[in-house]
Amino acid sequence: MRIVALDLHPPDAFVQTRCHRVVTGDISDIALLDNLAATYDFDAVYHLAALLSTKSERQPRLANKVNVDGTINLLEFTVSQARQQGRAIKFLYPSSIAVHGLPDLATKARAGKVCEDDWCEPTTMYGINKLYCERLGRYYETYYRQLDAAPTVGGIDFRCIRFPGLISALTVPTGGTSDYAPEMLHAAASGRSYACFVRPDTTIPFMAMPDAIEALSRLEAVPRERLSRKVYSIGSFAPSAAQIYDRVKQAFPMADVKFVPDLKRQGIVDSWPVDVDDSAARRDWGWEPVFDFDRAFDDYLIPAVNKRYRQPPGR
Ligand code: AKB
């Protein structure tokens, strides 16, 4: 497999060694996308670029430009690839639990694990952008230019995963609202104090990054006829912020973490479900996370952040 990577900044040296070519640029640059389309035949497009929820709330017009216009640019790019190659091209789209919007905490508690079609009433620009782009994917696959004499249907094989908050040992996210979990961990591991911006009882689903990567490549590999949906929710574990704090303190007893809720960001997280029902993904393409809460911390996050910040375990 040969990967052509496009990002605003060049990736680190290790990632570069895994890529056939690294292009520094912007998904808003249509000339750049046209040039790539003319140079290569792509089997699949992974569209991972987005402004996350907190940043999108602060800059809604920019969010729309990156999250929506950027997606349309890549969908058009994929249509042109499909025409060039005379076959359907896969389009992998990471969406988010942010497409759900629950009106209050009592409803959130009652709703429990939400299914894909439940509570699709996002309260954030980011959630609205993601939900709209899921629908654009369906449009481009099934109804694109439906009035044309010879409509271009079947050009895109759109496959989407709604991710929970992701926790990576290697990168600290910026601009998200689920960021309190990775921020708490990375601050503790690197000896910095941290003010957690949500209440201890705050609960949403999370996932360890290796499971998220595996999920995308597994969904890409599955034959189309096994997929009963275009959009799948997946989950791994759904700890409260207090449980994350306890786990971080267990690994880093000297960690200086306080809860200082920011009521506005809290409101966003409170509108997201406590967990997701991922039975469709389990049934259709065998989704199963490797990392539950304990394994994520014991076998992946703690050893890797210790290595990253060069702390002996249990500092
Ligand atoms: C965010 O916090 O905006 C993202 C997400 C939940 O999609 N991590």
Side-chain angles (χ1 to χ4, degrees):
M1 181 176 43
R2 295 194 307 168
I3 297 171
V4 176
L6 168 63
D7 201 354
L8 289 174
H9 309 288
D12 65 34
F14 173 72
V15 172
Q16 293 200 24
T17 64
R18 308 292 293 268
C19 296
H20 169 69
R21 184 174 159 203
V22 165
V23 180
T24 304
D26 192 329
I27 53 169
S28 305
D29 184 346
I30 291 175
L32 172 64
L33 295 179
D34 286 349
N35 190 274
L36 287 174
T39 311
Y40 299 102
D41 280 344
F42 291 90
D43 293 322
V45 174
Y46 279 62
H47 169 26
L48 307 176
L51 242 62
L52 299 182
S53 50
T54 291
K55 179 109 197 253
S56 294
E57 220 46 47
R58 294 190 171 131
Q59 293 180 281
R61 285 171 66 99
L62 179 64
N64 202 70
K65 182 165 179 281
V66 175
N67 296 348
V68 176
D69 295 347
T71 301
I72 291 188
N73 292 346
L74 286 174
L75 286 165
E76 290 285 341
F77 168 88
T78 309
V79 168
S80 79
Q81 279 288 306
R83 287 208 191 99
Q84 186 167 298
Q85 300 183 47
R87 65 186 178 110
I89 306 299
K90 290 175 187 163
F91 190 98
L92 276 294
Y93 182 64
S95 184
S96 163
I97 51 164
V99 301
H100 299 290
L102 293 117
D104 51 59
L105 283 174
T107 313
K108 171 168 166 154
R110 254 196 327 273
K113 288 186 171 197
V114 301
C115 293
E116 283 88 349
D117 299 328
D118 294 343
W119 297 105
C120 290
E121 297 288 342
T123 64
T124 60
M125 187 65 180
Y126 171 73
I128 291 165
N129 291 165
K130 286 288 184 191
L131 189 58
Y132 177 60
C133 289
E134 291 179 0
R135 307 228 157 130
L136 279 177
R138 177 168 173 268
Y139 168 76
Y140 269 79
E141 179 171 321
T142 314
Y143 301 106
Y144 181 67
R145 297 186 64 116
Q146 55 192 294
L147 298 181
D148 285 3
T152 316
V153 289
I156 291 192
D157 177 352
F158 182 80
R159 302 175 179 208
C160 168
I161 294 179
R162 282 188 195 150
F163 284 109
L166 299 179
I167 316 182
S168 166
L170 303 179
T171 54
V172 190
T174 49
T177 321
S178 63
D179 292 3
Y180 60 90
E183 282 175 359
M184 198 188 296
L185 171 70
H186 283 266
S190 60
R192 284 175 293 117
S193 55
Y194 183 64
C196 178
F197 58 83
V198 295
R199 293 183 315 268
D201 65 292
T202 306
T203 306
I204 57 167
F206 282 98
M207 181 177 293
M209 189 60 88
D211 272 333
I213 296 166
E214 172 59 26
L216 278 173
S217 52
R218 188 179 278 218
L219 180 60
E220 187 203 330
V222 72
R224 179 83 226 179
E225 57 276 12
R226 288 207 3 226
L227 302 179
S228 63
R229 319 180 46 90
K230 297 195 195 308
V231 175
Y232 290 90
S233 291
I234 59 172
S236 295
F237 44 88
S240 65
Q243 286 171 314
I244 298 169
Y245 169 86
D246 290 345
R247 197 61 199 72
V248 165
K249 273 296 237 190
Q250 192 185 324
F252 303 101
M254 303 299 286
D256 175 22
V257 178
K258 292 185 183 54
F259 285 90
V260 186
D262 167 334
L263 294 185
K264 292 189 172 148
R265 292 181 90 189
Q266 179 76 57
I268 291 179
V269 187
D270 285 346
S271 78
W272 294 346
V274 87
D275 204 355
V276 290
D277 179 336
D278 58 6
S279 48
R282 287 175 186 265
R283 185 189 62 231
D284 287 3
W285 46 278
W287 158 248
E288 195 171 359
V290 169
F291 297 101
D292 61 15
F293 184 57
D294 287 334
R295 254 193 107 179
F297 277 86
D298 294 344
D299 297 355
Y300 167 58
L301 293 169
I302 302 295
V305 292
N306 270 322
K307 190 162 163 216
R308 176 176 169 172
Y309 298 107
R310 300 187 194 289
Q311 312 281 2
R315 178 200 132 267

